[in-house]
Amino acid sequence: MTLGIDLACRAAHVASLAGPDGRLVWRGRKFFSRTVELERLWADIGRDPGELTVVMEPTRNAWIPVAAWFRRRGVKVVMVPTTQSADLREYFSKHTKNDRLDSVVLARLPLLHPEGLREHVGDGPADPLRRVVKQRSSIAKRRTAVFNRLDAQLELLGPGWYDAQGTDYGKATLAFLARYADPTVVIRLGQARLARFLRRYSRGHWREGKAAELIAAAQESLRLWDGDGIDFAELAADIAVEAEQAIALTAQISDLDERIANLYAEADPAGIVRSAPGVGPVLAGIIAGRLGDPHRFTSLAAVRSYSGLVPKVSQSGTSERTGGLTKAGDPLLREAVWMAADQARKLDPQLAAKYARLMAADHRHHDSAVCHLATILLTRIATCWRTGQPYQICDVDGTP
């Protein structure tokens, strides 16, 4: 028997039960993710857990409690990508589209497309490592946006500020901008007091010399504007807001890095993902968290397909045309593997030789060549993880 469930985030879920021949036993049962209603639905099914398969689409996070509830009772749970059932749904709902028809489509999928059904394993977004690496990526992008706004605002003060403090926006730079982004305030503060402030927040790396550079930059800003055309106090207030946001986001990223390290140690105690070239502590957590259990994939080709780093293929008869990347998998995993591959080509002789051949023979763009290396690196990482062996860097002739 197959139970198709059309999930909803705020409204009621809709379930339909079909037999092995695809005929409906009943359809359109509505329920919410509450224990009482799930128990009532279970009683209506009236089947042994081994005789039942639950088919759902990953609707935001609404599917996680329902899938976990059924899995605890020994039921096989199958997650169907929305693109897989879209065409069939379009046929059934050509004239009418409602939740009841959606649940019927899902209930009949095992009969219509059995090879496309894979049992769901793992906790998905309920896995803390998977969530926390996504959260870190989101916060890092927000901090980058803040840095870009700071760049634009500091351009109004002149290039001397870049020359004096750089553009990496470390702790001392952000602390300085949060308090003293007004050139008149910097000059009034004086070199001695400013040097004490810089020594405190830079842990002694910035001293009187840096203070003198910042005062010179402030004086140049005053000469540039010549006292007319800009309100330095208002600009300093805007810069302070951005700098304080960057300080808060940096602290959050630091806390998340510690959590990622602890969770990654639990997910991969042997450090197999971390052993790959180009994979640092953060990227190891991202790859482990977003890839999940490597044994859930039927083949290494499925791992590559999940990353979305494989090209689109259109084939008919003797003609075959390839396009850009499918980008059908996890975008954060794809981003992490690409960054790791860009570093790994500088450390692994085989990847370096492959990169050189791609750039020389195929006249590829750098990004295209690194994407090709990323699929190789991800395949090797998955292989090592599945076999329980660390990554072994080898020479071009295969010698370790």
Side-chain angles (χ1 to χ4, degrees), residues 303-351:
V303 176
R304 293 191 293 270
S305 178
Y306 179 74
S307 71
L309 287 169
V310 293
K312 300 175 184 177
V313 178
S314 177
Q315 188 180 59
S316 178
T318 59
S319 64
E320 180 175 332
R321 179 169 52 88
T322 58
L325 299 179
T326 63
K327 297 185 179 180
D330 190 289
L332 184 53
L333 173 64
R334 185 163 56 250
E335 176 185 330
V337 176
W338 191 95
M339 289 190 293
D342 194 29
Q343 294 300 317
R345 67 183 179 86
K346 306 171 186 177
L347 304 170
D348 190 315
Q350 293 182 343
L351 296 180

Side-chain angles (χ1 to χ4, degrees), residues 4-125:
I5 302 178
D6 183 68
L7 296 164
C9 296
R10 294 291 180 266
H13 312 314
V14 180
S16 296
L17 184 66
D21 57 356
R23 293 186 179 183
L24 293 175
V25 179
W26 47 256
R27 66 177 182 173
R29 298 288 177 90
K30 294 186 176 182
F31 68 99
F32 286 89
S33 300
R34 299 190 180 99
T35 306
V36 175
E37 299 188 31
L38 285 168
E39 293 287 357
R40 190 181 303 124
L41 178 67
W42 183 254
D44 290 342
I45 296 171
R47 292 291 188 277
D48 184 86
E51 301 175 358
L52 183 66
T53 298
V54 175
V55 182
M56 298 183 292
E57 290 179 325
T59 303
R60 212 158 73 182
N61 282 346
W63 64 271
I64 302 171
V66 178
W69 193 90
F70 278 102
R71 285 172 57 192
R72 286 197 300 272
R73 279 151 184 80
V75 176
K76 178 181 178 181
V77 178
V78 172
M79 302 305 302
V80 180
T82 55
T83 54
Q84 191 177 90
S85 58
D87 292 340
L88 185 60
R89 181 186 293 108
E90 184 177 355
Y91 169 76
F92 273 96
S93 60
K94 185 174 182 180
H95 302 290
T96 303
K97 196 276 183 190
N98 55 44
D99 294 338
R100 178 181 293 183
L101 284 177
D102 291 345
S103 66
V104 169
V105 171
L106 294 173
R108 287 174 170 166
L109 267 180
L111 180 66
L112 299 168
H113 187 44
E115 68 276 6
L117 302 181
R118 306 295 182 192
E119 185 175 2
H120 172 72
V121 295
D123 298 323

